[in-house]
Amino acid sequence: MKIGIIGAGNIGGNLTRRLTALGHEVSVANSRGPHTLTALAVETGATPVAASEAAKGARIVVVTVPLKAVPDLPDGFLAGAADDVVVIDTGNYYPQQRDGRLAAIEDGLPESRWTEQQINHPVIKAFNGTYAQDILDQGKPQGTPGRQALPVAGDDAAAKQTVRDLIDELGFDTVDAGGLDESWRQQPGTPVYGNRGDADAITKALAEASPERTAEWRA
């Protein structure tokens, strides 16, 4: 599968490593330009590209940049993607630590719904509460008892299944976390955020989430 990854930080870099190892054709971009991704390209075989080129021909595009940087993504960056491209949003709102105040999110808009509005394309929320190192170290074969599970939220059932299948290939179970309007259940500060549990534990954690954003996660 052709996969574009925009953002080469901890999550983006480790997804590049794992997905290339699984045989996918990966293009990877960051905000500083492809010349800064030479080492990752040599290590993985991924193709370093400009952010405006990362989605070309891609079936899946992973947007894994700081939330405050989402509005700065190149205009039309998805224009050359596959007609049925699935966009994965891994982002989190860190107002005090990084992003500053984003009024719509402060007013209760789910973080991934905000991202969707910025890029004018539906997204599937996944990997946002996952430790980056786990992507490399914690994958297990399907059916392994206690296999770590990741929540996946989104409105399009087919797109969500594409993401769940990819996560399964990476070695993790998944739990359907509902539509994007329910994706607050996996935002920072919720019981599922950073939770390494199996599918039952993740299902329970999603159910226990509160829509009230705590002070630590407000501007």
Side-chain angles (χ1 to χ4, degrees), residues 133-141 147-148 170-172 196:
Q133 193 63 33
D134 287 357
I135 293 170
L136 296 183
D137 297 344
Q138 295 303 312
K140 301 287 191 301
R147 192 189 198 206
Q148 187 172 328
L170 287 165
F172 302 90
R196 288 180 161 125

Side-chain angles (χ1 to χ4, degrees), residues 63-189:
V63 175
T64 181
V65 301
L67 227 63
K68 66 179 181 180
V70 170
D72 299 327
L73 291 171
D75 289 340
F77 74 96
L78 292 171
D83 290 342
D84 57 351
V85 64
V86 175
V87 178
I88 299 174
D89 169 37
T90 78
N92 292 306
Y93 177 48
Y94 298 130
Q96 298 176 33
Q97 301 88 342
R98 181 189 67 194
D99 296 314
R101 179 183 174 85
L102 297 173
I105 296 176
E106 291 285 337
D107 290 342
L109 187 70
E111 296 165 11
S112 287
R113 188 66 82 191
W114 182 87
T115 295
E116 181 180 80
Q117 292 176 0
Q118 303 308 305
I119 68 172
N120 197 32
H121 193 282
V123 303
I124 303 296
K125 188 177 189 74
F127 299 110
N128 72 291
T130 309
Y131 292 102
Q133 193 63 33
D134 287 357
I135 293 170
L136 296 183
D137 297 344
Q138 295 303 312
K140 301 287 191 301
Q142 194 177 72
T144 300
R147 192 189 198 206
Q148 187 172 328
L150 309 185
V152 180
D155 297 330
D156 184 304
K160 190 188 292 185
Q161 190 60 52
T162 296
V163 175
R164 296 180 74 178
D165 289 345
L166 187 72
I167 292 172
D168 179 54
E169 191 180 353
L170 287 165
F172 302 90
D173 285 343
T174 57
V175 172
D176 188 333
L180 214 60
D181 286 336
E182 291 291 306
S183 64
W184 56 265
R185 294 181 181 276
Q186 64 194 79
Q187 291 176 174

